[in-house]
Amino acid sequence: MEYLSITKAEEFIANTLQANRVPLADAKIVAQLMVKSDLVGADGHGIFRLPAYIKRIRAGGINLNPNIHIEREQGATALINGDNALGHLVMNRAVELAIEKVKKHSVCWVGSHYGNHSGAASVYVRKLAEQGYIGIYMAVGNANHMAPWGGIDLLLSTNPIAIAVPAGEHPMVLLDIATTVAAYGKVKLAAQKGESIPDTWMIDKNGQPITDPKKSHEGSLLPIGGYKGYGLAVMIGLLAGALNNAAVGKGTIDFNAHHDLITNTGQTIIAVDPSAFGDREQFVQRVIALVNDLKASSKLPGVNQIRVPGDGAAKLMAERLNQGIPISPELRDSLNQCAEECGIARLD
């Protein structure tokens, strides 16, 4: 496994986007946010996605000169129209607006539609928690890969949710999960590497496990926690899709298969100021106390440590900031092919 420095990764992404008519300032923002997915181990959402983004741009599926604007606004709420921009730009604006509103109202709810895939959910709630706010993110995924519980029709996506809670100088507590056992990006990564997938990730239309990721189109991702994960996916679809007048259910466009179509991706970001409920520092101390109690609690035989949400991502971020992000031979080949097609320098 080779490693690519953060600086070089951001530079490569920005150069590739610029070579495809993305304005310099936008290319830099997208590059930085894409690499943030890789930094926390969400490898299926970072630089891995660059070739797919370029395909959409070249097919006319992305608006490169968008008017990202507030379409509706009422008190602590707002609906952003992303004008079919690169998803990272839409969510970056949504977070900026959420910070403005939470400072004024102590709590806010910002929805968006006409967005696109924007990487790992944790990237955006992390930006809020770094400023001392609680962040919650929900989105409708960009392709339906899950059937309703007991069914076979693919009517739901991985519909992720992320929640970040600040902990002062300590690592934030951060949960970032798909409502499926595995995000579809992990299936795509396995297919690229020629690896099999666990038999708990997908089933075919007869309910039998799928272990060959290249046959993923023949079946459905399984929800976390059985029917509970299915129910959670439905509710996120309603709050991030239906509420925002964005695509959901049968209206969802598979951005992997249709590079030229507008996906109308729906996303929601919620911000909460802990000081609205009491002293901020006392809240942080309560967060730290719970984290410490969890980590110090008794362990099952064979368990070395008890972790809390965000521990793994924090560890990976520290490592990757130092050594760079891992690039498999297959991913390097894919990126180099993309570079050649775009007329820029290869990674070699």
Side-chain angles (χ1 to χ4, degrees):
M1 183 70 70
E2 299 178 36
Y3 289 87
L4 187 64
S5 74
I6 305 305
T7 300
K8 190 169 182 179
E10 290 180 353
E11 182 180 282
F12 179 82
I13 294 170
N15 288 343
T16 305
L17 292 171
Q18 282 185 264
N20 287 275
R21 298 176 291 107
V22 176
L24 174 60
D26 289 349
K28 286 185 175 181
I29 291 172
V30 174
Q32 290 169 357
L33 292 173
M34 284 178 66
V35 171
K36 286 185 184 298
S37 290
D38 290 300
L39 278 175
V40 295
D43 297 334
H45 290 298
I47 195 171
F48 167 80
R49 294 280 182 171
L50 182 60
Y53 293 163
I54 298 303
K55 284 182 181 179
R56 281 190 59 74
I57 290 172
R58 292 191 156 192
I62 297 290
N63 183 358
L64 302 183
N65 296 286
N67 174 27
I68 302 172
H69 63 280
I70 299 173
E71 185 174 300
R72 299 178 64 92
E73 188 171 22
Q74 186 171 319
T77 67
L79 175 65
I80 290 178
N81 186 319
D83 199 20
N84 198 34
L86 286 160
H88 300 76
L89 299 176
V90 180
M91 281 313 301
N92 192 59
R93 177 69 184 99
V95 171
E96 289 176 346
L97 181 58
I99 291 173
E100 291 175 20
K101 283 188 170 292
V102 75
K103 288 179 178 178
K104 181 178 180 180
H105 300 284
S106 296
V107 63
C108 70
W109 182 300
V110 178
S112 68
H113 62 166
Y114 292 104
N116 279 287
H117 186 272
S118 58
S122 67
V123 170
Y124 304 102
V125 292
R126 182 179 296 276
K127 289 168 74 73
L128 291 168
E130 285 173 347
Q131 296 203 30
Y133 303 113
I134 294 168
I136 303 172
Y137 169 95
M138 295 176 285
V140 177
N142 290 98
N144 285 343
H145 296 297
M146 181 168 68
W149 187 245
I152 60 174
D153 293 337
L154 301 181
L155 294 172
L156 294 166
S157 188
T158 53
N159 293 3
I161 182 170
I163 304 172
V165 177
E169 298 301 315
H170 290 67
M172 67 182 68
V173 183
L174 198 163
L175 177 71
D176 179 1
I177 58 170
T179 48
T180 49
V181 174
Y184 194 66
K186 291 185 176 181
V187 178
K188 290 172 69 68
L189 271 176
Q192 185 185 70
K193 295 178 180 179
E195 300 173 348
S196 62
I197 59 175
D199 60 10
T200 55
W201 284 14
M202 300 192 74
I203 56 172
D204 62 21
K205 293 184 178 180
N206 294 314
Q208 298 303 307
I210 291 176
T211 57
D212 182 353
K214 293 182 179 179
K215 294 183 178 180
S216 62
H217 63 282
E218 299 178 8
S220 166
L221 287 171
L222 287 167
I224 55 173
Y227 68 89
K228 296 180 181 179
Y230 156 62
L232 183 58
V234 170
M235 301 310 290
I236 292 174
L238 294 175
L239 295 178
L243 182 62
N244 293 333
N245 192 21
V248 67
K250 290 183 178 180
T252 302
I253 300 296
D254 185 347
F255 79 143
N256 298 300
H258 305 287
H259 301 296
D260 58 330
L261 300 182
I262 295 174
T263 62
N264 187 14
T265 301
Q267 293 150 306
T268 292
I269 193 88
I270 302 166
V272 181
D273 185 350
S275 66
F277 299 87
D279 182 82
R280 181 191 294 265
E281 185 54 37
Q282 289 181 10
F283 166 71
V284 167
Q285 291 307 314
R286 290 193 293 270
V287 172
I288 295 171
L290 176 58
V291 168
N292 289 340
D293 287 346
L294 293 171
K295 291 187 174 183
S297 61
S298 301
K299 307 171 187 64
L300 286 168
V303 175
N304 294 323
Q305 63 173 337
I306 292 176
R307 303 193 305 177
V308 297
D311 276 356
K315 181 181 178 182
L316 270 179
M317 180 178 284
E319 292 174 353
R320 293 184 174 186
L321 281 170
N322 180 50
Q323 66 184 18
I325 58 177
I327 301 292
S328 68
E330 296 83 3
L331 177 55
R332 177 175 284 273
D333 289 344
S334 174
L335 294 174
N336 280 333
Q337 180 180 346
C338 184
E340 290 176 357
E341 293 172 356
C342 296
I344 67 168
R346 293 164 52 96
L347 285 174
D348 298 339

mmCIF file of all heavy atoms in Angstrom, residues 98-131:
data_model
loop_
_atom_site.group_PDB
_atom_site.id
_atom_site.type_symbol
_atom_site.label_atom_id
_atom_site.label_comp_id
_atom_site.label_asym_id
_atom_site.label_seq_id
_atom_site.Cartn_x
_atom_site.Cartn_y
_atom_site.Cartn_z
ATOM 1 N N ALA A 98 -25.712 27.452 8.656
ATOM 2 C CA ALA A 98 -26.090 26.889 9.959
ATOM 3 C C ALA A 98 -25.331 27.585 11.084
ATOM 4 O O ALA A 98 -25.903 27.864 12.146
ATOM 5 C CB ALA A 98 -25.806 25.386 9.971
ATOM 6 N N ILE A 99 -24.068 27.889 10.862
ATOM 7 C CA ILE A 99 -23.278 28.578 11.886
ATOM 8 C C ILE A 99 -23.816 29.992 12.111
ATOM 9 O O ILE A 99 -23.929 30.457 13.247
ATOM 10 C CB ILE A 99 -21.786 28.598 11.485
ATOM 11 C CG1 ILE A 99 -21.213 27.178 11.553
ATOM 12 C CG2 ILE A 99 -20.993 29.529 12.402
ATOM 13 C CD1 ILE A 99 -19.810 27.051 11.014
ATOM 14 N N GLU A 100 -24.182 30.665 11.032
ATOM 15 C CA GLU A 100 -24.773 31.998 11.173
ATOM 16 C C GLU A 100 -26.059 31.940 11.990
ATOM 17 O O GLU A 100 -26.284 32.757 12.890
ATOM 18 C CB GLU A 100 -25.094 32.573 9.784
ATOM 19 C CG GLU A 100 -23.892 32.929 8.931
ATOM 20 C CD GLU A 100 -24.311 33.369 7.537
ATOM 21 O OE1 GLU A 100 -25.497 33.752 7.361
ATOM 22 O OE2 GLU A 100 -23.470 33.340 6.627
ATOM 23 N N LYS A 101 -26.899 30.962 11.680
ATOM 24 C CA LYS A 101 -28.203 30.886 12.328
ATOM 25 C C LYS A 101 -28.132 30.389 13.775
ATOM 26 O O LYS A 101 -28.885 30.847 14.629
ATOM 27 C CB LYS A 101 -29.141 29.986 11.508
ATOM 28 C CG LYS A 101 -29.686 30.677 10.263
ATOM 29 C CD LYS A 101 -30.755 29.847 9.590
ATOM 30 C CE LYS A 101 -31.463 30.652 8.512
ATOM 31 N NZ LYS A 101 -32.277 31.758 9.065
ATOM 32 N N VAL A 102 -27.227 29.445 14.056
ATOM 33 C CA VAL A 102 -27.156 28.931 15.422
ATOM 34 C C VAL A 102 -26.628 30.000 16.369
ATOM 35 O O VAL A 102 -26.994 30.047 17.557
ATOM 36 C CB VAL A 102 -26.302 27.643 15.491
ATOM 37 C CG1 VAL A 102 -24.805 27.949 15.377
ATOM 38 C CG2 VAL A 102 -26.583 26.883 16.788
ATOM 39 N N LYS A 103 -25.793 30.881 15.850
ATOM 40 C CA LYS A 103 -25.305 31.988 16.672
ATOM 41 C C LYS A 103 -26.446 32.932 17.046
ATOM 42 O O LYS A 103 -26.455 33.521 18.130
ATOM 43 C CB LYS A 103 -24.210 32.764 15.929
ATOM 44 C CG LYS A 103 -22.888 32.021 15.828
ATOM 45 C CD LYS A 103 -21.855 32.830 15.058
ATOM 46 C CE LYS A 103 -20.519 32.091 14.997
ATOM 47 N NZ LYS A 103 -19.505 32.847 14.201
ATOM 48 N N LYS A 104 -27.416 33.049 16.162
ATOM 49 C CA LYS A 104 -28.530 33.965 16.372
ATOM 50 C C LYS A 104 -29.683 33.322 17.127
ATOM 51 O O LYS A 104 -30.302 33.937 17.997
ATOM 52 C CB LYS A 104 -29.026 34.482 15.024
ATOM 53 C CG LYS A 104 -30.183 35.467 15.112
ATOM 54 C CD LYS A 104 -30.570 35.974 13.735
ATOM 55 C CE LYS A 104 -31.740 36.963 13.830
ATOM 56 N NZ LYS A 104 -32.127 37.464 12.471
ATOM 57 N N HIS A 105 -29.968 32.043 16.807
ATOM 58 C CA HIS A 105 -31.170 31.391 17.340
ATOM 59 C C HIS A 105 -30.897 30.278 18.352
ATOM 60 O O HIS A 105 -31.834 29.736 18.930
ATOM 61 C CB HIS A 105 -31.998 30.810 16.188
ATOM 62 C CG HIS A 105 -32.460 31.827 15.189
ATOM 63 N ND1 HIS A 105 -33.508 32.692 15.443
ATOM 64 C CD2 HIS A 105 -32.026 32.119 13.935
ATOM 65 C CE1 HIS A 105 -33.715 33.466 14.386
ATOM 66 N NE2 HIS A 105 -32.819 33.138 13.458
ATOM 67 N N SER A 106 -29.660 29.915 18.542
ATOM 68 C CA SER A 106 -29.237 28.813 19.433
ATOM 69 C C SER A 106 -29.512 27.431 18.847
ATOM 70 O O SER A 106 -28.943 26.441 19.289
ATOM 71 C CB SER A 106 -29.900 28.917 20.814
ATOM 72 O OG SER A 106 -29.480 30.090 21.468
ATOM 73 N N VAL A 107 -30.403 27.354 17.880
ATOM 74 C CA VAL A 107 -30.678 26.089 17.195
ATOM 75 C C VAL A 107 -31.117 26.435 15.774
ATOM 76 O O VAL A 107 -31.727 27.486 15.546
ATOM 77 C CB VAL A 107 -31.763 25.258 17.913
ATOM 78 C CG1 VAL A 107 -33.107 26.004 17.917
ATOM 79 C CG2 VAL A 107 -31.922 23.882 17.272
ATOM 80 N N CYS A 108 -30.807 25.589 14.817
ATOM 81 C CA CYS A 108 -31.265 25.848 13.457
ATOM 82 C C CYS A 108 -31.377 24.551 12.673
ATOM 83 O O CYS A 108 -30.781 23.531 13.026
ATOM 84 C CB CYS A 108 -30.332 26.821 12.737
ATOM 85 S SG CYS A 108 -28.721 26.136 12.349
ATOM 86 N N TRP A 109 -32.159 24.618 11.621
ATOM 87 C CA TRP A 109 -32.385 23.473 10.736
ATOM 88 C C TRP A 109 -32.256 23.995 9.310
ATOM 89 O O TRP A 109 -33.039 24.829 8.876
ATOM 90 C CB TRP A 109 -33.774 22.898 10.983
ATOM 91 C CG TRP A 109 -34.145 21.673 10.184
ATOM 92 C CD1 TRP A 109 -34.208 21.565 8.825
ATOM 93 C CD2 TRP A 109 -34.534 20.397 10.708
ATOM 94 N NE1 TRP A 109 -34.613 20.301 8.457
ATOM 95 C CE2 TRP A 109 -34.830 19.564 9.593
ATOM 96 C CE3 TRP A 109 -34.684 19.887 11.995
ATOM 97 C CZ2 TRP A 109 -35.253 18.240 9.748
ATOM 98 C CZ3 TRP A 109 -35.101 18.573 12.138
ATOM 99 C CH2 TRP A 109 -35.379 17.757 11.032
ATOM 100 N N VAL A 110 -31.244 23.513 8.583
ATOM 101 C CA VAL A 110 -31.012 23.951 7.215
ATOM 102 C C VAL A 110 -31.122 22.746 6.293
ATOM 103 O O VAL A 110 -30.372 21.780 6.424
ATOM 104 C CB VAL A 110 -29.618 24.601 7.059
ATOM 105 C CG1 VAL A 110 -29.376 25.000 5.597
ATOM 106 C CG2 VAL A 110 -29.491 25.817 7.969
ATOM 107 N N GLY A 111 -32.081 22.812 5.383
ATOM 108 C CA GLY A 111 -32.240 21.751 4.400
ATOM 109 C C GLY A 111 -31.689 22.200 3.057
ATOM 110 O O GLY A 111 -31.495 23.390 2.819
ATOM 111 N N SER A 112 -31.444 21.251 2.179
ATOM 112 C CA SER A 112 -30.989 21.605 0.831
ATOM 113 C C SER A 112 -31.543 20.622 -0.183
ATOM 114 O O SER A 112 -31.796 19.449 0.135
ATOM 115 C CB SER A 112 -29.461 21.624 0.753
ATOM 116 O OG SER A 112 -28.925 20.320 0.882
ATOM 117 N N HIS A 113 -31.753 21.115 -1.386
ATOM 118 C CA HIS A 113 -32.085 20.237 -2.505
ATOM 119 C C HIS A 113 -31.305 20.682 -3.731
ATOM 120 O O HIS A 113 -30.605 21.691 -3.707
ATOM 121 C CB HIS A 113 -33.590 20.168 -2.765
ATOM 122 C CG HIS A 113 -34.246 21.469 -3.140
ATOM 123 N ND1 HIS A 113 -35.522 21.526 -3.667
ATOM 124 C CD2 HIS A 113 -33.834 22.762 -3.063
ATOM 125 C CE1 HIS A 113 -35.851 22.787 -3.904
ATOM 126 N NE2 HIS A 113 -34.862 23.545 -3.537
ATOM 127 N N TYR A 114 -31.408 19.879 -4.783
ATOM 128 C CA TYR A 114 -30.588 20.088 -5.982
ATOM 129 C C TYR A 114 -29.100 20.154 -5.637
ATOM 130 O O TYR A 114 -28.356 20.979 -6.146
ATOM 131 C CB TYR A 114 -31.046 21.327 -6.752
ATOM 132 C CG TYR A 114 -32.411 21.118 -7.367
ATOM 133 C CD1 TYR A 114 -33.537 21.701 -6.807
ATOM 134 C CD2 TYR A 114 -32.562 20.267 -8.462
ATOM 135 C CE1 TYR A 114 -34.794 21.457 -7.337
ATOM 136 C CE2 TYR A 114 -33.821 20.019 -8.991
ATOM 137 C CZ TYR A 114 -34.935 20.617 -8.427
ATOM 138 O OH TYR A 114 -36.182 20.364 -8.945
ATOM 139 N N GLY A 115 -28.694 19.225 -4.757
ATOM 140 C CA GLY A 115 -27.288 19.042 -4.451
ATOM 141 C C GLY A 115 -26.778 17.796 -5.154
ATOM 142 O O GLY A 115 -27.431 17.251 -6.051
ATOM 143 N N ASN A 116 -25.612 17.327 -4.742
ATOM 144 C CA ASN A 116 -25.014 16.104 -5.287
ATOM 145 C C ASN A 116 -24.232 15.406 -4.178
ATOM 146 O O ASN A 116 -24.153 15.912 -3.053
ATOM 147 C CB ASN A 116 -24.097 16.431 -6.468
ATOM 148 C CG ASN A 116 -24.846 16.638 -7.775
ATOM 149 O OD1 ASN A 116 -25.336 15.682 -8.370
ATOM 150 N ND2 ASN A 116 -24.958 17.889 -8.212
ATOM 151 N N HIS A 117 -23.664 14.271 -4.498
ATOM 152 C CA HIS A 117 -22.849 13.527 -3.526
ATOM 153 C C HIS A 117 -21.793 14.458 -2.934
ATOM 154 O O HIS A 117 -21.128 15.190 -3.663
ATOM 155 C CB HIS A 117 -22.182 12.349 -4.231
ATOM 156 C CG HIS A 117 -21.437 11.430 -3.311
ATOM 157 N ND1 HIS A 117 -20.112 11.641 -2.970
ATOM 158 C CD2 HIS A 117 -21.826 10.317 -2.649
ATOM 159 C CE1 HIS A 117 -19.723 10.681 -2.151
ATOM 160 N NE2 HIS A 117 -20.738 9.860 -1.939
ATOM 161 N N SER A 118 -21.647 14.430 -1.609
ATOM 162 C CA SER A 118 -20.735 15.386 -0.958
ATOM 163 C C SER A 118 -19.745 14.736 0.000
ATOM 164 O O SER A 118 -19.185 15.403 0.863
ATOM 165 C CB SER A 118 -21.552 16.438 -0.207
ATOM 166 O OG SER A 118 -22.389 15.831 0.758
ATOM 167 N N GLY A 119 -19.530 13.429 -0.167
ATOM 168 C CA GLY A 119 -18.540 12.772 0.677
ATOM 169 C C GLY A 119 -19.113 12.286 1.996
ATOM 170 O O GLY A 119 -20.321 12.130 2.162
ATOM 171 N N ALA A 120 -18.224 12.063 2.964
ATOM 172 C CA ALA A 120 -18.633 11.515 4.257
ATOM 173 C C ALA A 120 -19.460 12.516 5.059
ATOM 174 O O ALA A 120 -19.145 13.712 5.106
ATOM 175 C CB ALA A 120 -17.400 11.102 5.058
ATOM 176 N N ALA A 121 -20.493 12.030 5.699
ATOM 177 C CA ALA A 121 -21.369 12.885 6.511
ATOM 178 C C ALA A 121 -20.605 13.549 7.647
ATOM 179 O O ALA A 121 -20.892 14.689 8.027
ATOM 180 C CB ALA A 121 -22.520 12.052 7.066
ATOM 181 N N SER A 122 -19.624 12.855 8.190
ATOM 182 C CA SER A 122 -18.889 13.365 9.351
ATOM 183 C C SER A 122 -18.163 14.669 9.058
ATOM 184 O O SER A 122 -17.926 15.476 9.963
ATOM 185 C CB SER A 122 -17.871 12.325 9.839
ATOM 186 O OG SER A 122 -16.836 12.137 8.884
ATOM 187 N N VAL A 123 -17.802 14.892 7.793
ATOM 188 C CA VAL A 123 -17.054 16.097 7.422
ATOM 189 C C VAL A 123 -17.802 17.353 7.854
ATOM 190 O O VAL A 123 -17.205 18.317 8.346
ATOM 191 C CB VAL A 123 -16.802 16.125 5.899
ATOM 192 C CG1 VAL A 123 -16.254 17.482 5.461
ATOM 193 C CG2 VAL A 123 -15.848 15.006 5.507
ATOM 194 N N TYR A 124 -19.116 17.327 7.733
ATOM 195 C CA TYR A 124 -19.908 18.543 7.951
ATOM 196 C C TYR A 124 -20.306 18.743 9.413
ATOM 197 O O TYR A 124 -20.286 19.869 9.909
ATOM 198 C CB TYR A 124 -21.106 18.521 7.012
ATOM 199 C CG TYR A 124 -20.621 18.366 5.593
ATOM 200 C CD1 TYR A 124 -20.689 17.134 4.939
ATOM 201 C CD2 TYR A 124 -19.976 19.418 4.944
ATOM 202 C CE1 TYR A 124 -20.165 16.974 3.661
ATOM 203 C CE2 TYR A 124 -19.445 19.265 3.670
ATOM 204 C CZ TYR A 124 -19.532 18.049 3.031
ATOM 205 O OH TYR A 124 -18.991 17.894 1.783
ATOM 206 N N VAL A 125 -20.616 17.674 10.117
ATOM 207 C CA VAL A 125 -20.915 17.841 11.546
ATOM 208 C C VAL A 125 -19.641 18.139 12.326
ATOM 209 O O VAL A 125 -19.681 18.812 13.361
ATOM 210 C CB VAL A 125 -21.644 16.602 12.128
ATOM 211 C CG1 VAL A 125 -23.035 16.476 11.548
ATOM 212 C CG2 VAL A 125 -20.848 15.316 11.904
ATOM 213 N N ARG A 126 -18.520 17.656 11.827
ATOM 214 C CA ARG A 126 -17.242 17.950 12.476
ATOM 215 C C ARG A 126 -16.974 19.452 12.463
ATOM 216 O O ARG A 126 -16.475 20.019 13.449
ATOM 217 C CB ARG A 126 -16.105 17.194 11.774
ATOM 218 C CG ARG A 126 -14.730 17.387 12.398
ATOM 219 C CD ARG A 126 -13.671 16.588 11.648
ATOM 220 N NE ARG A 126 -13.909 15.173 11.730
ATOM 221 C CZ ARG A 126 -13.532 14.410 12.736
ATOM 222 N NH1 ARG A 126 -12.886 14.953 13.772
ATOM 223 N NH2 ARG A 126 -13.774 13.115 12.739
ATOM 224 N N LYS A 127 -17.306 20.116 11.363
ATOM 225 C CA LYS A 127 -17.083 21.554 11.254
ATOM 226 C C LYS A 127 -17.886 22.305 12.316
ATOM 227 O O LYS A 127 -17.439 23.327 12.845
ATOM 228 C CB LYS A 127 -17.475 22.035 9.856
ATOM 229 C CG LYS A 127 -16.521 21.575 8.757
ATOM 230 C CD LYS A 127 -17.089 21.804 7.372
ATOM 231 C CE LYS A 127 -17.078 23.257 6.964
ATOM 232 N NZ LYS A 127 -15.731 23.738 6.650
ATOM 233 N N LEU A 128 -19.059 21.808 12.656
ATOM 234 C CA LEU A 128 -19.884 22.437 13.688
ATOM 235 C C LEU A 128 -19.321 22.164 15.084
ATOM 236 O O LEU A 128 -19.214 23.071 15.911
ATOM 237 C CB LEU A 128 -21.327 21.939 13.596
ATOM 238 C CG LEU A 128 -22.112 22.408 12.364
ATOM 239 C CD1 LEU A 128 -23.408 21.634 12.222
ATOM 240 C CD2 LEU A 128 -22.397 23.902 12.461
ATOM 241 N N ALA A 129 -18.963 20.909 15.335
ATOM 242 C CA ALA A 129 -18.452 20.551 16.662
ATOM 243 C C ALA A 129 -17.132 21.247 16.963
ATOM 244 O O ALA A 129 -16.836 21.573 18.117
ATOM 245 C CB ALA A 129 -18.288 19.034 16.768
ATOM 246 N N GLU A 130 -16.343 21.495 15.936
ATOM 247 C CA GLU A 130 -15.072 22.199 16.138
ATOM 248 C C GLU A 130 -15.296 23.625 16.639
ATOM 249 O O GLU A 130 -14.402 24.221 17.240
ATOM 250 C CB GLU A 130 -14.280 22.213 14.825
ATOM 251 C CG GLU A 130 -13.652 20.865 14.488
ATOM 252 C CD GLU A 130 -13.014 20.832 13.106
ATOM 253 O OE1 GLU A 130 -13.261 21.761 12.308
ATOM 254 O OE2 GLU A 130 -12.257 19.877 12.833
ATOM 255 N N GLN A 131 -16.478 24.147 16.413
ATOM 256 C CA GLN A 131 -16.806 25.482 16.897
ATOM 257 C C GLN A 131 -17.679 25.453 18.148
ATOM 258 O O GLN A 131 -18.220 26.468 18.564
ATOM 259 C CB GLN A 131 -17.492 26.291 15.792
ATOM 260 C CG GLN A 131 -16.587 26.534 14.589
ATOM 261 C CD GLN A 131 -17.008 27.734 13.770
ATOM 262 O OE1 GLN A 131 -17.573 28.694 14.283
ATOM 263 N NE2 GLN A 131 -16.717 27.700 12.485
#
